[in-house]
PDB file of all heavy atoms in Angstrom:
ATOM      1  N   ARG R   1      -5.641  16.518  21.594  1.00 94.00           N
ATOM      2  CA  ARG R   1      -4.345  17.140  21.133  1.00 94.00           C
ATOM      3  C   ARG R   1      -3.661  16.289  20.151  1.00 94.00           C
ATOM      4  O   ARG R   1      -4.182  15.234  19.794  1.00 94.00           O
ATOM      5  CB  ARG R   1      -3.542  17.084  22.451  1.00 94.00           C
ATOM      6  CG  ARG R   1      -3.055  15.796  22.969  1.00 94.00           C
ATOM      7  CD  ARG R   1      -2.456  15.676  24.330  1.00 94.00           C
ATOM      8  NE  ARG R   1      -2.263  14.489  24.876  1.00 94.00           N
ATOM      9  CZ  ARG R   1      -0.973  13.869  24.859  1.00 94.00           C
ATOM     10  NH1 ARG R   1      -0.039  14.573  24.304  1.00 94.00           N
ATOM     11  NH2 ARG R   1      -0.863  12.588  25.317  1.00 94.00           N
ATOM     12  N   VAL R   2      -2.681  16.788  19.568  1.00 97.00           N
ATOM     13  CA  VAL R   2      -1.946  16.159  18.516  1.00 97.00           C
ATOM     14  C   VAL R   2      -0.518  15.619  19.111  1.00 97.00           C
ATOM     15  O   VAL R   2       0.141  16.337  19.863  1.00 97.00           O
ATOM     16  CB  VAL R   2      -1.513  17.128  17.449  1.00 97.00           C
ATOM     17  CG1 VAL R   2      -0.499  16.575  16.338  1.00 97.00           C
ATOM     18  CG2 VAL R   2      -2.679  17.654  16.695  1.00 97.00           C
ATOM     19  N   LEU R   3      -0.298  14.431  18.904  1.00 96.00           N
ATOM     20  CA  LEU R   3       0.914  13.782  19.367  1.00 96.00           C
ATOM     21  C   LEU R   3       2.044  14.125  18.529  1.00 96.00           C
ATOM     22  O   LEU R   3       1.921  14.533  17.373  1.00 96.00           O
ATOM     23  CB  LEU R   3       0.771  12.197  19.409  1.00 96.00           C
ATOM     24  CG  LEU R   3      -0.362  11.728  20.362  1.00 96.00           C
ATOM     25  CD1 LEU R   3      -0.539  10.217  20.105  1.00 96.00           C
ATOM     26  CD2 LEU R   3      -0.307  12.143  21.710  1.00 96.00           C
ATOM     27  N   PRO R   4       3.339  14.033  18.972  1.00 96.00           N
ATOM     28  CA  PRO R   4       4.479  14.323  18.166  1.00 96.00           C
ATOM     29  C   PRO R   4       4.529  13.564  16.803  1.00 96.00           C
ATOM     30  O   PRO R   4       4.238  12.306  16.826  1.00 96.00           O
ATOM     31  CB  PRO R   4       5.695  13.912  19.061  1.00 96.00           C
ATOM     32  CG  PRO R   4       5.115  13.995  20.435  1.00 96.00           C
ATOM     33  CD  PRO R   4       3.750  13.639  20.364  1.00 96.00           C
ATOM     34  N   PHE R   5       4.898  14.138  15.709  1.00 97.00           N
ATOM     35  CA  PHE R   5       4.867  13.547  14.458  1.00 97.00           C
ATOM     36  C   PHE R   5       6.042  12.760  14.244  1.00 97.00           C
ATOM     37  O   PHE R   5       7.176  13.258  14.689  1.00 97.00           O
ATOM     38  CB  PHE R   5       4.810  14.581  13.319  1.00 97.00           C
ATOM     39  CG  PHE R   5       3.361  15.115  13.086  1.00 97.00           C
ATOM     40  CD1 PHE R   5       2.287  14.649  13.870  1.00 97.00           C
ATOM     41  CD2 PHE R   5       3.104  15.917  11.944  1.00 97.00           C
ATOM     42  CE1 PHE R   5       1.037  15.023  13.573  1.00 97.00           C
ATOM     43  CE2 PHE R   5       1.773  16.283  11.664  1.00 97.00           C
ATOM     44  CZ  PHE R   5       0.724  16.035  12.486  1.00 97.00           C
ATOM     45  N   LYS R   6       6.011  11.598  13.656  1.00 93.00           N
ATOM     46  CA  LYS R   6       7.100  10.880  13.300  1.00 93.00           C
ATOM     47  C   LYS R   6       7.635  11.285  11.897  1.00 93.00           C
ATOM     48  O   LYS R   6       6.951  11.708  11.016  1.00 93.00           O
ATOM     49  CB  LYS R   6       6.810   9.320  13.101  1.00 93.00           C
ATOM     50  CG  LYS R   6       6.103   8.753  14.272  1.00 93.00           C
ATOM     51  CD  LYS R   6       6.885   8.591  15.616  1.00 93.00           C
ATOM     52  CE  LYS R   6       6.148   7.906  16.741  1.00 93.00           C
ATOM     53  NZ  LYS R   6       6.916   7.958  18.003  1.00 93.00           N
ATOM     54  N   THR R   7       8.970  11.455  11.807  1.00 92.00           N
ATOM     55  CA  THR R   7       9.564  12.074  10.569  1.00 92.00           C
ATOM     56  C   THR R   7       9.944  11.163   9.524  1.00 92.00           C
ATOM     57  O   THR R   7      10.130  11.520   8.299  1.00 92.00           O
ATOM     58  CB  THR R   7      10.714  12.924  11.042  1.00 92.00           C
ATOM     59  OG1 THR R   7      11.815  12.057  11.459  1.00 92.00           O
ATOM     60  CG2 THR R   7      10.370  13.950  12.127  1.00 92.00           C
ATOM     61  N   ALA R   8      10.202   9.846   9.858  1.00 88.00           N
ATOM     62  CA  ALA R   8      10.844   8.871   8.909  1.00 88.00           C
ATOM     63  C   ALA R   8       9.974   8.854   7.527  1.00 88.00           C
ATOM     64  O   ALA R   8      10.716   8.967   6.464  1.00 88.00           O
ATOM     65  CB  ALA R   8      10.784   7.618   9.490  1.00 88.00           C
ATOM     66  N   LEU R   9       8.741   8.605   7.474  1.00 90.00           N
ATOM     67  CA  LEU R   9       7.979   8.531   6.243  1.00 90.00           C
ATOM     68  C   LEU R   9       7.718   9.809   5.404  1.00 90.00           C
ATOM     69  O   LEU R   9       7.143   9.758   4.393  1.00 90.00           O
ATOM     70  CB  LEU R   9       6.645   7.770   6.489  1.00 90.00           C
ATOM     71  CG  LEU R   9       6.852   6.384   6.987  1.00 90.00           C
ATOM     72  CD1 LEU R   9       5.466   5.742   7.140  1.00 90.00           C
ATOM     73  CD2 LEU R   9       7.711   5.512   5.951  1.00 90.00           C
ATOM     74  N   PHE R  10       8.147  10.968   5.960  1.00 93.00           N
ATOM     75  CA  PHE R  10       8.234  12.148   5.122  1.00 93.00           C
ATOM     76  C   PHE R  10       9.235  12.057   4.108  1.00 93.00           C
ATOM     77  O   PHE R  10       9.169  12.845   2.993  1.00 93.00           O
ATOM     78  CB  PHE R  10       8.540  13.472   6.108  1.00 93.00           C
ATOM     79  CG  PHE R  10       7.338  13.948   6.828  1.00 93.00           C
ATOM     80  CD1 PHE R  10       6.898  13.282   8.053  1.00 93.00           C
ATOM     81  CD2 PHE R  10       6.583  15.041   6.253  1.00 93.00           C
ATOM     82  CE1 PHE R  10       5.814  13.785   8.607  1.00 93.00           C
ATOM     83  CE2 PHE R  10       5.516  15.559   6.947  1.00 93.00           C
ATOM     84  CZ  PHE R  10       5.185  14.817   8.167  1.00 93.00           C
ATOM     85  N   GLY R  11      10.178  10.996   4.283  1.00 89.00           N
ATOM     86  CA  GLY R  11      11.123  10.634   3.169  1.00 89.00           C
ATOM     87  C   GLY R  11      10.371  10.333   1.885  1.00 89.00           C
ATOM     88  O   GLY R  11      10.905  10.362   0.811  1.00 89.00           O
ATOM     89  N   ALA R  12       9.157   9.997   1.999  1.00 90.00           N
ATOM     90  CA  ALA R  12       8.396   9.589   0.700  1.00 90.00           C
ATOM     91  C   ALA R  12       8.335  10.752  -0.081  1.00 90.00           C
ATOM     92  O   ALA R  12       8.211  10.548  -1.418  1.00 90.00           O
ATOM     93  CB  ALA R  12       6.918   9.076   1.168  1.00 90.00           C
ATOM     94  N   ALA R  13       8.166  11.892   0.332  1.00 90.00           N
ATOM     95  CA  ALA R  13       8.226  13.138  -0.503  1.00 90.00           C
ATOM     96  C   ALA R  13       9.570  13.298  -1.369  1.00 90.00           C
ATOM     97  O   ALA R  13       9.463  13.523  -2.566  1.00 90.00           O
ATOM     98  CB  ALA R  13       7.926  14.380   0.176  1.00 90.00           C
ATOM     99  N   GLN R  14      10.659  12.988  -0.664  1.00 85.00           N
ATOM    100  CA  GLN R  14      11.944  12.861  -1.315  1.00 85.00           C
ATOM    101  C   GLN R  14      12.024  11.826  -2.434  1.00 85.00           C
ATOM    102  O   GLN R  14      12.412  12.125  -3.544  1.00 85.00           O
ATOM    103  CB  GLN R  14      13.002  12.727  -0.307  1.00 85.00           C
ATOM    104  CG  GLN R  14      13.065  13.927   0.709  1.00 85.00           C
ATOM    105  CD  GLN R  14      14.112  13.597   1.749  1.00 85.00           C
ATOM    106  OE1 GLN R  14      14.153  12.508   2.342  1.00 85.00           O
ATOM    107  NE2 GLN R  14      14.957  14.506   2.152  1.00 85.00           N
ATOM    108  N   ALA R  15      11.449  10.716  -2.010  1.00 88.00           N
ATOM    109  CA  ALA R  15      11.478   9.506  -2.977  1.00 88.00           C
ATOM    110  C   ALA R  15      10.592  10.001  -4.236  1.00 88.00           C
ATOM    111  O   ALA R  15      10.978   9.585  -5.402  1.00 88.00           O
ATOM    112  CB  ALA R  15      10.889   8.336  -2.394  1.00 88.00           C
ATOM    113  N   SER R  16       9.474  10.654  -3.975  1.00 90.00           N
ATOM    114  CA  SER R  16       8.665  10.906  -5.081  1.00 90.00           C
ATOM    115  C   SER R  16       9.267  12.000  -6.032  1.00 90.00           C
ATOM    116  O   SER R  16       9.171  11.880  -7.212  1.00 90.00           O
ATOM    117  CB  SER R  16       7.286  11.548  -4.626  1.00 90.00           C
ATOM    118  OG  SER R  16       6.493  11.825  -5.708  1.00 90.00           O
ATOM    119  N   LEU R  17      10.106  12.883  -5.469  1.00 87.00           N
ATOM    120  CA  LEU R  17      10.837  13.873  -6.297  1.00 87.00           C
ATOM    121  C   LEU R  17      11.747  13.150  -7.241  1.00 87.00           C
ATOM    122  O   LEU R  17      11.784  13.446  -8.435  1.00 87.00           O
ATOM    123  CB  LEU R  17      11.648  14.804  -5.364  1.00 87.00           C
ATOM    124  CG  LEU R  17      10.868  15.967  -4.691  1.00 87.00           C
ATOM    125  CD1 LEU R  17      11.933  16.640  -3.832  1.00 87.00           C
ATOM    126  CD2 LEU R  17      10.229  16.840  -5.695  1.00 87.00           C
ATOM    127  N   LYS R  18      12.408  12.096  -6.749  1.00 82.00           N
ATOM    128  CA  LYS R  18      13.382  11.315  -7.616  1.00 82.00           C
ATOM    129  C   LYS R  18      12.595  10.576  -8.626  1.00 82.00           C
ATOM    130  O   LYS R  18      13.109  10.529  -9.827  1.00 82.00           O
ATOM    131  CB  LYS R  18      14.174  10.408  -6.687  1.00 82.00           C
ATOM    132  CG  LYS R  18      15.087  11.099  -5.682  1.00 82.00           C
ATOM    133  CD  LYS R  18      15.728  10.078  -4.807  1.00 82.00           C
ATOM    134  CE  LYS R  18      16.496  10.816  -3.692  1.00 82.00           C
ATOM    135  NZ  LYS R  18      17.117   9.802  -2.583  1.00 82.00           N
ATOM    136  N   ARG R  19      11.624   9.931  -8.346  1.00 81.00           N
ATOM    137  CA  ARG R  19      10.902   9.042  -9.250  1.00 81.00           C
ATOM    138  C   ARG R  19      10.057   9.788 -10.323  1.00 81.00           C
ATOM    139  O   ARG R  19      10.042   9.400 -11.454  1.00 81.00           O
ATOM    140  CB  ARG R  19       9.865   8.122  -8.529  1.00 81.00           C
ATOM    141  CG  ARG R  19      10.467   7.060  -7.663  1.00 81.00           C
ATOM    142  CD  ARG R  19       9.592   6.198  -6.987  1.00 81.00           C
ATOM    143  NE  ARG R  19      10.182   5.110  -6.296  1.00 81.00           N
ATOM    144  CZ  ARG R  19      10.459   3.916  -6.781  1.00 81.00           C
ATOM    145  NH1 ARG R  19      10.136   3.832  -8.252  1.00 81.00           N
ATOM    146  NH2 ARG R  19      11.023   2.947  -6.249  1.00 81.00           N
ATOM    147  N   SER R  20       9.395  10.951  -9.904  1.00 79.00           N
ATOM    148  CA  SER R  20       8.504  11.628 -10.898  1.00 79.00           C
ATOM    149  C   SER R  20       9.261  12.665 -11.662  1.00 79.00           C
ATOM    150  O   SER R  20       8.772  13.053 -12.838  1.00 79.00           O
ATOM    151  CB  SER R  20       7.464  12.343 -10.105  1.00 79.00           C
ATOM    152  OG  SER R  20       7.986  13.389  -9.303  1.00 79.00           O
ATOM    153  N   GLY R  21      10.481  13.064 -11.217  1.00 80.00           N
ATOM    154  CA  GLY R  21      11.138  14.250 -12.059  1.00 80.00           C
ATOM    155  C   GLY R  21      10.479  15.480 -11.834  1.00 80.00           C
ATOM    156  O   GLY R  21      10.917  16.516 -12.487  1.00 80.00           O
ATOM    157  N   THR R  22       9.568  15.676 -10.928  1.00 84.00           N
ATOM    158  CA  THR R  22       8.886  16.897 -10.670  1.00 84.00           C
ATOM    159  C   THR R  22       9.711  17.831  -9.779  1.00 84.00           C
ATOM    160  O   THR R  22      10.633  17.309  -9.082  1.00 84.00           O
ATOM    161  CB  THR R  22       7.515  16.835 -10.058  1.00 84.00           C
ATOM    162  OG1 THR R  22       7.672  15.968  -8.857  1.00 84.00           O
ATOM    163  CG2 THR R  22       6.558  15.939 -10.916  1.00 84.00           C
ATOM    164  N   GLU R  23       9.504  19.084  -9.853  1.00 90.00           N
ATOM    165  CA  GLU R  23      10.314  19.950  -8.975  1.00 90.00           C
ATOM    166  C   GLU R  23       9.956  20.004  -7.495  1.00 90.00           C
ATOM    167  O   GLU R  23      10.802  20.180  -6.708  1.00 90.00           O
ATOM    168  CB  GLU R  23      10.170  21.485  -9.641  1.00 90.00           C
ATOM    169  CG  GLU R  23      10.761  21.709 -10.958  1.00 90.00           C
ATOM    170  CD  GLU R  23      10.729  23.043 -11.450  1.00 90.00           C
ATOM    171  OE1 GLU R  23      10.203  23.885 -10.710  1.00 90.00           O
ATOM    172  OE2 GLU R  23      11.213  23.376 -12.505  1.00 90.00           O
ATOM    173  N   ALA R  24       8.650  19.683  -7.279  1.00 93.00           N
ATOM    174  CA  ALA R  24       8.173  19.872  -5.877  1.00 93.00           C
ATOM    175  C   ALA R  24       7.051  18.802  -5.658  1.00 93.00           C
ATOM    176  O   ALA R  24       6.250  18.504  -6.528  1.00 93.00           O
ATOM    177  CB  ALA R  24       7.829  21.244  -5.425  1.00 93.00           C
ATOM    178  N   VAL R  25       6.914  18.383  -4.346  1.00 94.00           N
ATOM    179  CA  VAL R  25       5.760  17.634  -3.971  1.00 94.00           C
ATOM    180  C   VAL R  25       4.990  18.519  -3.015  1.00 94.00           C
ATOM    181  O   VAL R  25       5.536  19.325  -2.259  1.00 94.00           O
ATOM    182  CB  VAL R  25       6.183  16.296  -3.219  1.00 94.00           C
ATOM    183  CG1 VAL R  25       5.095  15.637  -2.548  1.00 94.00           C
ATOM    184  CG2 VAL R  25       6.944  15.363  -4.205  1.00 94.00           C
ATOM    185  N   LEU R  26       3.688  18.530  -3.135  1.00 97.00           N
ATOM    186  CA  LEU R  26       2.856  19.203  -2.160  1.00 97.00           C
ATOM    187  C   LEU R  26       2.584  18.295  -0.882  1.00 97.00           C
ATOM    188  O   LEU R  26       2.033  17.233  -1.014  1.00 97.00           O
ATOM    189  CB  LEU R  26       1.540  19.666  -2.775  1.00 97.00           C
ATOM    190  CG  LEU R  26       1.626  20.558  -4.009  1.00 97.00           C
ATOM    191  CD1 LEU R  26       0.185  20.844  -4.469  1.00 97.00           C
ATOM    192  CD2 LEU R  26       2.280  21.864  -3.683  1.00 97.00           C
ATOM    193  N   VAL R  27       2.964  18.880   0.176  1.00 97.00           N
ATOM    194  CA  VAL R  27       2.697  18.349   1.544  1.00 97.00           C
ATOM    195  C   VAL R  27       1.527  19.151   2.264  1.00 97.00           C
ATOM    196  O   VAL R  27       1.882  20.288   2.529  1.00 97.00           O
ATOM    197  CB  VAL R  27       3.901  18.094   2.343  1.00 97.00           C
ATOM    198  CG1 VAL R  27       3.639  17.493   3.734  1.00 97.00           C
ATOM    199  CG2 VAL R  27       5.012  17.357   1.674  1.00 97.00           C
ATOM    200  N   GLN R  28       0.446  18.548   2.482  1.00 98.00           N
ATOM    201  CA  GLN R  28      -0.620  19.444   3.040  1.00 98.00           C
ATOM    202  C   GLN R  28      -1.109  18.967   4.330  1.00 98.00           C
ATOM    203  O   GLN R  28      -1.514  17.859   4.556  1.00 98.00           O
ATOM    204  CB  GLN R  28      -1.906  19.433   2.022  1.00 98.00           C
ATOM    205  CG  GLN R  28      -2.934  20.337   2.470  1.00 98.00           C
ATOM    206  CD  GLN R  28      -4.018  20.603   1.513  1.00 98.00           C
ATOM    207  OE1 GLN R  28      -4.253  19.642   0.517  1.00 98.00           O
ATOM    208  NE2 GLN R  28      -4.734  21.640   1.460  1.00 98.00           N
TER     209      GLN R  28
END
């Protein structure tokens, strides 16, 4: 089974948006 996902490090996608200047990050 899959255990509950921790959400804190999903903030890396937000950080990448700021650093790269791209419109979106792909989370797969």
